[in-house]
PDB file of all heavy atoms in Angstrom:
ATOM      1  N   PRO A 283      56.844 101.694 103.917  1.00 78.00           N
ATOM      2  CA  PRO A 283      55.722 101.835 104.860  1.00 78.00           C
ATOM      3  C   PRO A 283      56.196 102.435 106.184  1.00 78.00           C
ATOM      4  O   PRO A 283      57.330 102.225 106.621  1.00 78.00           O
ATOM      5  CB  PRO A 283      55.232 100.389 105.044  1.00 78.00           C
ATOM      6  CG  PRO A 283      55.735  99.656 103.842  1.00 78.00           C
ATOM      7  CD  PRO A 283      57.031 100.300 103.479  1.00 78.00           C
ATOM      8  N   LEU A 318      59.293 107.573  86.221  1.00 95.00           N
ATOM      9  CA  LEU A 318      57.908 107.139  86.130  1.00 95.00           C
ATOM     10  C   LEU A 318      57.056 107.790  87.209  1.00 95.00           C
ATOM     11  O   LEU A 318      57.564 108.258  88.228  1.00 95.00           O
ATOM     12  CB  LEU A 318      57.828 105.616  86.235  1.00 95.00           C
ATOM     13  CG  LEU A 318      58.673 104.823  85.229  1.00 95.00           C
ATOM     14  CD1 LEU A 318      58.443 103.330  85.418  1.00 95.00           C
ATOM     15  CD2 LEU A 318      58.370 105.242  83.797  1.00 95.00           C
ATOM     16  N   TYR A 358      73.185  93.829  79.300  1.00 98.00           N
ATOM     17  CA  TYR A 358      73.168  93.767  80.759  1.00 98.00           C
ATOM     18  C   TYR A 358      74.483  94.365  81.251  1.00 98.00           C
ATOM     19  O   TYR A 358      75.549  93.784  81.069  1.00 98.00           O
ATOM     20  CB  TYR A 358      73.052  92.300  81.191  1.00 98.00           C
ATOM     21  CG  TYR A 358      72.600  92.053  82.610  1.00 98.00           C
ATOM     22  CD1 TYR A 358      72.328  90.744  83.023  1.00 98.00           C
ATOM     23  CD2 TYR A 358      72.459  93.063  83.550  1.00 98.00           C
ATOM     24  CE1 TYR A 358      71.907  90.456  84.325  1.00 98.00           C
ATOM     25  CE2 TYR A 358      72.039  92.799  84.849  1.00 98.00           C
ATOM     26  CZ  TYR A 358      71.769  91.482  85.230  1.00 98.00           C
ATOM     27  OH  TYR A 358      71.371  91.210  86.516  1.00 98.00           O
ATOM     28  N   ILE A 360      76.742  94.900  84.101  1.00 98.00           N
ATOM     29  CA  ILE A 360      76.889  94.182  85.375  1.00 98.00           C
ATOM     30  C   ILE A 360      77.997  94.820  86.206  1.00 98.00           C
ATOM     31  O   ILE A 360      79.169  94.790  85.823  1.00 98.00           O
ATOM     32  CB  ILE A 360      77.172  92.689  85.111  1.00 98.00           C
ATOM     33  CG1 ILE A 360      75.993  92.062  84.355  1.00 98.00           C
ATOM     34  CG2 ILE A 360      77.440  91.952  86.413  1.00 98.00           C
ATOM     35  CD1 ILE A 360      76.264  90.666  83.835  1.00 98.00           C
ATOM     36  N   ALA A 372      67.511  83.059  93.476  1.00 97.00           N
ATOM     37  CA  ALA A 372      67.198  82.276  92.280  1.00 97.00           C
ATOM     38  C   ALA A 372      66.841  83.203  91.118  1.00 97.00           C
ATOM     39  O   ALA A 372      67.268  82.982  89.971  1.00 97.00           O
ATOM     40  CB  ALA A 372      66.052  81.305  92.559  1.00 97.00           C
ATOM     41  N   ILE A 385      78.143  93.357  79.738  1.00 98.00           N
ATOM     42  CA  ILE A 385      79.276  94.258  79.915  1.00 98.00           C
ATOM     43  C   ILE A 385      79.573  94.296  81.412  1.00 98.00           C
ATOM     44  O   ILE A 385      78.685  94.574  82.216  1.00 98.00           O
ATOM     45  CB  ILE A 385      78.968  95.682  79.413  1.00 98.00           C
ATOM     46  CG1 ILE A 385      78.569  95.664  77.933  1.00 98.00           C
ATOM     47  CG2 ILE A 385      80.173  96.599  79.636  1.00 98.00           C
ATOM     48  CD1 ILE A 385      78.126  97.020  77.404  1.00 98.00           C
ATOM     49  N   VAL A 386      80.812  93.996  81.794  1.00 98.00           N
ATOM     50  CA  VAL A 386      81.189  93.965  83.211  1.00 98.00           C
ATOM     51  C   VAL A 386      82.262  95.016  83.477  1.00 98.00           C
ATOM     52  O   VAL A 386      82.968  95.456  82.565  1.00 98.00           O
ATOM     53  CB  VAL A 386      81.692  92.571  83.635  1.00 98.00           C
ATOM     54  CG1 VAL A 386      80.613  91.521  83.466  1.00 98.00           C
ATOM     55  CG2 VAL A 386      82.938  92.182  82.837  1.00 98.00           C
ATOM     56  N   THR A 397      82.617  81.224  84.131  1.00 97.00           N
ATOM     57  CA  THR A 397      82.659  79.938  84.829  1.00 97.00           C
ATOM     58  C   THR A 397      81.314  79.503  85.387  1.00 97.00           C
ATOM     59  O   THR A 397      80.988  78.313  85.363  1.00 97.00           O
ATOM     60  CB  THR A 397      83.690  79.980  85.965  1.00 97.00           C
ATOM     61  OG1 THR A 397      83.352  81.040  86.876  1.00 97.00           O
ATOM     62  CG2 THR A 397      85.086  80.217  85.421  1.00 97.00           C
ATOM     63  N   LEU A 406      84.659  93.505  78.922  1.00 97.00           N
ATOM     64  CA  LEU A 406      85.139  94.160  80.132  1.00 97.00           C
ATOM     65  C   LEU A 406      85.353  95.642  79.832  1.00 97.00           C
ATOM     66  O   LEU A 406      86.153  96.004  78.971  1.00 97.00           O
ATOM     67  CB  LEU A 406      86.456  93.515  80.592  1.00 97.00           C
ATOM     68  CG  LEU A 406      87.217  94.237  81.713  1.00 97.00           C
ATOM     69  CD1 LEU A 406      86.365  94.350  82.977  1.00 97.00           C
ATOM     70  CD2 LEU A 406      88.529  93.517  82.004  1.00 97.00           C
ATOM     71  N   SER A 414      89.333 115.524  85.633  1.00 90.00           N
ATOM     72  CA  SER A 414      89.103 116.953  85.827  1.00 90.00           C
ATOM     73  C   SER A 414      88.433 117.202  87.178  1.00 90.00           C
ATOM     74  O   SER A 414      88.392 118.329  87.660  1.00 90.00           O
ATOM     75  CB  SER A 414      88.218 117.511  84.705  1.00 90.00           C
ATOM     76  OG  SER A 414      86.901 116.979  84.786  1.00 90.00           O
ATOM     77  N   GLY A 430      90.753 108.367 105.970  1.00 98.00           N
ATOM     78  CA  GLY A 430      89.410 108.610 105.443  1.00 98.00           C
ATOM     79  C   GLY A 430      88.712 107.311 105.102  1.00 98.00           C
ATOM     80  O   GLY A 430      89.357 106.292 104.831  1.00 98.00           O
ATOM     81  N   PRO A 511      85.438 104.414  95.001  1.00 96.00           N
ATOM     82  CA  PRO A 511      86.122 105.351  95.897  1.00 96.00           C
ATOM     83  C   PRO A 511      87.609 105.051  96.075  1.00 96.00           C
ATOM     84  O   PRO A 511      88.408 105.981  96.227  1.00 96.00           O
ATOM     85  CB  PRO A 511      85.346 105.202  97.217  1.00 96.00           C
ATOM     86  CG  PRO A 511      83.970 104.835  96.785  1.00 96.00           C
ATOM     87  CD  PRO A 511      84.178 103.918  95.605  1.00 96.00           C
ATOM     88  N   ALA A 515      90.348 107.857  95.406  1.00 98.00           N
ATOM     89  CA  ALA A 515      91.344 108.250  96.405  1.00 98.00           C
ATOM     90  C   ALA A 515      92.753 108.200  95.812  1.00 98.00           C
ATOM     91  O   ALA A 515      93.571 109.109  96.025  1.00 98.00           O
ATOM     92  CB  ALA A 515      91.242 107.339  97.626  1.00 98.00           C
ATOM     93  N   GLY A 562     108.264 107.287 106.907  1.00 95.00           N
ATOM     94  CA  GLY A 562     108.842 108.623 106.810  1.00 95.00           C
ATOM     95  C   GLY A 562     108.232 109.376 105.641  1.00 95.00           C
ATOM     96  O   GLY A 562     107.542 108.800 104.788  1.00 95.00           O
ATOM     97  N   ALA A 575     100.076 106.682  90.121  1.00 97.00           N
ATOM     98  CA  ALA A 575     100.467 105.999  88.889  1.00 97.00           C
ATOM     99  C   ALA A 575      99.545 104.823  88.580  1.00 97.00           C
ATOM    100  O   ALA A 575      99.343 104.468  87.409  1.00 97.00           O
ATOM    101  CB  ALA A 575     101.914 105.515  89.001  1.00 97.00           C
ATOM    102  N   THR A 612      69.722  96.609  57.471  1.00 58.00           N
ATOM    103  CA  THR A 612      69.658  98.013  57.057  1.00 58.00           C
ATOM    104  C   THR A 612      69.966  98.927  58.243  1.00 58.00           C
ATOM    105  O   THR A 612      70.754  99.872  58.138  1.00 58.00           O
ATOM    106  CB  THR A 612      68.263  98.346  56.500  1.00 58.00           C
ATOM    107  OG1 THR A 612      67.983  97.476  55.402  1.00 58.00           O
ATOM    108  CG2 THR A 612      68.214  99.801  56.019  1.00 58.00           C
TER     109      THR A 612
END
Side-chain angles (χ1 to χ4, degrees):
L318 305 182
Y358 198 173
I360 298 170
I385 302 175
V386 298
T397 58
L406 170 60
S414 67
T612 302

